[in-house]
Amino acid sequence: MIIDGHNDLVLRTWREQQTKHVDLSQARAADFCGGFFAIWVPGAPGAMDEPVLAPYDIPLEPQLPRAHAVEVAREQLAAFRSLGLPVATSADEFVDGRVTAILHLEGAEALDPMLTDLVDWYREGLRSLGLVWARRNVFAEGVPFRFPGSPDTGPGLTIAGVRLVEACNDLGIVVDLSHLNEKGFWDAAGITTAPLVATHSNAHALCASTRNLTDRQLDAIGTSGGVVGVNFAVGFLREDGNNVEDTPLTEIVRHVSYIAKRIGIDHVAFGSDFDGAVVSHEVGGIQGLPAIVSALAEAGFDEQDIAKITHRNWLRVLRETWR
Ligand code: ZN
């Protein structure tokens, strides 16, 4: 069983684009049992063209008008439903042989700053939420995409952001720390009562992207009993920061090993970023997941370790966070 921390299949579905990485007809053969499916509201077309080679420094996207964010998020919720997947509200719903989806909101622009609509989203199935993407909003500020760079790029949570973290704790919604800048990370970490979660981020010590986690951040996630979903985006894996498919999948193993060694095998999992990033040609999509598992075994991870990385760690954190 493989449970994954992040994919953008909903965005592709909403755009009526073919999936690049998450071909659900391959799921059973790949042992892919689902995970976090993101709703993400894009900015103006072309505003975020991914750089191929490092170094790069992309400014934050402009803030999104809320009415627009609400409209697109609602449309994407319909696209999510059109996938016809069981929507997880309990960790027990993940079973072998089927794909189960966690409804995740990547960037909280669509939410009312007074949070009057958060319960409605919860009733729709929302069980995971990232405060920000690479923009500022009323809750917090995301990191700009920069390599090399520190994640300490701007101010932390606003009062509305603090209230949003507290409300997520009360309802039992995962607060995703990926994309937050470092001040925002520490603010959220200081408030939340749940294990810390970064659904799709890597080790900054191995790849100095603003999107990755410093050793101190990793340590805090480990101490909290949380989990880091290792992101397969090559630009967040490679030491040189280059965004090229011609990258060995052992780069994923390198980050898994580093995080497991630093904070323990109970705190590392997958967070592929499939359909939202450039990934190794050796992975190619969900059909490449078994090859990553084989590479982990070759690197010395035993069966127990691999079960933790592929699904047990995610399931534990979901059980501890959801109500
Ligand atoms: Zn993301």
Side-chain angles (χ1 to χ4, degrees):
M1 178 184 280
I2 296 174
I3 298 175
D4 177 52
H6 190 94
N7 77 64
D8 288 303
L9 179 62
V10 174
L11 177 70
R12 296 236 169 216
T13 307
W14 173 74
R15 283 177 165 161
E16 298 179 356
Q17 289 172 333
Q18 281 281 79
T19 174
K20 201 173 170 199
H21 298 139
V22 187
D23 175 357
L24 294 174
S25 72
Q26 304 285 322
R28 195 180 279 262
D31 207 16
F32 175 74
C33 291
F36 296 73
F37 285 63
I39 285 179
W40 173 74
V41 180
M48 235 313 285
D49 287 331
E50 282 179 87
V52 175
L53 298 179
Y56 58 86
D57 185 0
I58 303 172
L60 287 176
E61 267 201 3
Q63 283 189 241
L64 285 178
R66 178 159 178 256
H68 171 74
V70 170
E71 186 188 336
V72 174
R74 287 274 144 198
E75 289 173 10
Q76 289 196 13
L77 179 59
F80 172 78
R81 296 221 178 284
S82 78
L83 297 172
L85 302 173
V87 182
T89 57
S90 151
D92 298 334
E93 288 161 64
F94 283 92
V95 290
D96 268 320
R98 76 168 194 193
V99 175
T100 304
I102 300 166
L103 180 58
H104 171 76
L105 194 56
E106 184 173 36
E109 281 89 351
L111 294 181
D112 172 15
M114 300 304 291
L115 307 180
T116 54
D117 50 3
L118 185 63
V119 170
D120 299 331
W121 274 98
Y122 180 83
R123 290 198 187 111
E124 298 281 7
L126 186 75
R127 290 296 181 278
S128 175
L129 177 155
L131 277 72
V132 288
W133 187 69
R135 310 179 183 110
R136 180 175 299 141
N137 62 30
V138 296
F139 304 106
E141 188 177 298
V143 282
F145 295 101
R146 187 182 295 158
F147 186 98
S150 155
D152 188 9
T153 58
L157 267 54
T158 64
I159 297 291
V162 171
R163 290 190 181 128
L164 177 53
V165 172
E166 291 169 345
C168 286
N169 284 165
D170 289 345
L171 286 167
I173 295 174
V174 171
V175 175
D176 179 17
L177 303 173
S178 288
H179 286 286
L180 272 171
N181 65 32
E182 195 173 351
K183 283 197 176 67
F185 175 100
W186 291 117
D187 284 351
I191 298 159
T192 184
T193 55
L196 303 183
V197 168
T199 58
H200 59 307
S201 294
N202 294 336
H204 194 274
L206 302 187
C207 170
S209 163
T210 48
R211 275 282 286 108
N212 288 340
L213 300 158
T214 65
D215 285 346
R216 271 190 70 215
Q217 289 176 300
L218 290 174
D219 293 348
I221 291 170
T223 306
S224 78
V227 70
V228 178
V230 167
N231 193 321
F232 300 172
V234 289
F236 305 151
L237 289 167
R238 295 169 60 103
E239 193 174 6
D240 64 11
N242 288 340
N243 214 10
V244 287
E245 282 181 6
D246 186 11
T247 296
L249 69 78
T250 48
E251 283 292 295
I252 296 166
V253 177
R254 198 167 72 95
H255 282 260
V256 170
S257 300
Y258 181 87
I259 296 168
K261 194 168 175 205
R262 176 142 193 122
I263 62 175
I265 192 70
D266 292 330
H267 308 293
V268 62
F270 293 153
S272 70
D273 220 341
F274 279 151
D275 276 325
V278 177
V279 305
S280 161
H281 66 97
E282 294 178 2
V283 177
I286 59 171
Q287 65 278 14
L289 288 167
I292 300 171
V293 172
S294 299
L296 288 170
E298 272 165 40
F301 290 96
D302 66 23
E303 213 171 302
Q304 290 281 354
D305 296 337
I306 288 172
K308 288 179 174 182
I309 296 164
T310 54
H311 61 282
R312 281 198 192 143
N313 290 338
W314 275 130
L315 291 175
R316 182 195 74 241
V317 166
L318 296 176
R319 278 198 188 95
E320 287 178 15
T321 307
W322 290 351
R323 304 199 189 288

